[in-house]
Amino acid sequence: MEKKRSTRQIKSLTMLFDDWLSKADEKDKALAPNVRKGKWALILFAFSLLFAGSFVCLPVAQFLGTRLESPSGNACETREIESGTATFEMPVDSFENQLKRNLHENLPEKK
């Protein structure tokens, strides 16, 4: 019973919003073209100011400069030192390279 009531309320609110929106659209279309352009330019300018102001007025996140230390004797750390490369680099035969190789193998050779 409550579900039907809430569904009816949502439908009635949706209908009210649609009516309000269509009336506002009709009023906007009734305006002179220059007035209409000026109104929308003013609205766009106001939203742009709000957007730019949000970067100025809102606080900036503060990042702490603490560095997390890895435990000594880590296997990844020793491999990184031995190989001289970072452990997060992709290997030479990554998926992308394999895909490129397969694509080039399937292309017919031009003579």
Side-chain angles (χ1 to χ4, degrees):
M1 191 102 163
E2 288 182 22
K3 189 173 184 180
K4 288 183 180 181
R5 178 182 289 171
S6 64
T7 306
R8 284 187 211 151
Q9 288 175 348
I10 291 173
K11 285 182 181 180
S12 65
L13 287 174
T14 305
M15 289 173 54
L16 287 173
F17 180 73
D18 286 343
D19 291 340
W20 174 79
L21 194 61
S22 62
K23 287 178 186 177
D25 190 38
E26 288 172 9
K27 286 181 182 179
D28 188 51
K29 287 179 181 178
L31 292 174
N34 290 338
V35 175
R36 188 175 181 192
K37 286 179 186 176
K39 179 185 91 170
W40 285 108
L42 182 66
I43 290 171
L44 183 62
F45 180 71
F47 278 124
S48 299
L49 278 178
L50 283 173
F51 180 71
S54 69
F55 290 106
V56 175
C57 296
L58 295 178
V60 178
Q62 298 295 325
F63 295 106
L64 300 175
T66 58
R67 182 183 170 125
L68 297 176
E69 297 295 329
S70 61
S72 61
N74 191 353
C76 295
E77 187 178 308
T78 55
R79 272 188 278 149
E80 183 177 316
I81 293 170
E82 290 171 2
S83 65
T85 60
T87 56
F88 292 109
E89 289 183 9
M90 292 294 291
V92 175
D93 290 327
S94 65
F95 175 74
E96 184 178 353
N97 289 337
Q98 290 177 9
L99 181 64
K100 285 180 183 177
R101 190 179 321 125
N102 288 339
L103 288 176
H104 291 302
E105 287 176 358
N106 293 335
L107 292 176
E109 293 183 19
K110 293 182 181 179
K111 292 183 180 181

